[in-house]
Amino acid sequence: VCSSDLGVAGDRPVQLIPVKVLDSQGFGTTSGVAAGIAWAVANRAQVINLSLGGPTIDSSVIAAIDAAAAAGVLVVTSAGNCGGASFSTQGCHVQNEADYPAAYAGITSGAGKLIPVASIASNGMVSSFSTQASYVATAGLAAPGGAILSTYPTNSYATLSGTSKIGRAHV
């Protein structure tokens, strides 16, 4: 969809290319995520947003991110929602658990290949739920993520909080 209305990109034409790699419940496979990244690169995406994550690194997703970086594509990913005391309700095993692929930014081979995005609250401080791991501090940035009016799977809107995802996708 190409929008001619002014938005966050100003008067520059921006084309959004949705690439669905997870089902309506937020589940999918790492091979599906890797294929989605490869498809976006092959179709000349300039920025890829990965609003997903999980507790383990996957070589196929890493290879796809490496290929995207080599092609000059900016990869942005949610930092994770394992920061607060309620980390277990987000599917996290420990507080500030690494969330992949975002945590790949903190590994030498992943440095400079993707940007993890943390959540900040309306007071400008990092949201308590946002993963506060070293890969976020050294390679990431932050954006509003608390109580954001969001589209919802029931064809409605809801006020949600997170680093661009709800819970953790099990990929």
Side-chain angles (χ1 to χ4, degrees), residues 1-17:
V1 176
C2 188
S3 174
S4 61
D5 297 333
L6 291 180
V8 295
D11 62 354
R12 295 176 301 269
V14 174
Q15 184 176 13
L16 299 178
I17 308 168

Side-chain angles (χ1 to χ4, degrees), residues 102-120:
Y104 181 48
I107 298 172
T108 303
S109 59
K113 294 182 179 175
L114 67 161
I115 300 172
V117 180
S119 169
I120 55 172

Side-chain angles (χ1 to χ4, degrees), residues 36-87:
I37 295 169
W39 186 91
V41 171
N43 284 276
R44 300 190 325 243
Q46 295 175 343
V47 178
I48 297 173
N49 174 54
L50 299 174
S51 295
L52 50 79
T56 56
I57 193 167
D58 178 81
S59 60
S60 66
V61 173
I62 296 309
I65 290 170
D66 289 347
V73 177
L74 175 62
V75 178
V76 180
T77 185
S78 54
N81 297 328
C82 295
S86 61
F87 64 87

Side-chain angles (χ1 to χ4, degrees), residues 22 24 55 64 68 70 72 102 110 120 142 146-147:
L22 303 176
S24 63
I120 55 172

Side-chain angles (χ1 to χ4, degrees), residues 78-153:
S78 54
N81 297 328
C82 295
S86 61
F87 64 87
S88 62
T89 64
Q90 296 298 317
C92 309
H93 299 99
V94 296
Q95 191 171 14
N96 291 317
E97 178 178 67
D99 194 81
Y100 291 94
Y104 181 48
I107 298 172
T108 303
S109 59
K113 294 182 179 175
L114 67 161
I115 300 172
V117 180
S119 169
I120 55 172
S122 60
N123 64 3
M125 302 299 292
V126 176
S127 302
S128 62
F129 59 80
S130 189
T131 298
Q132 298 174 35
S134 61
Y135 67 87
V136 180
T138 59
L141 55 86
I148 303 296
L149 186 61
S150 308
T151 55
Y152 205 66

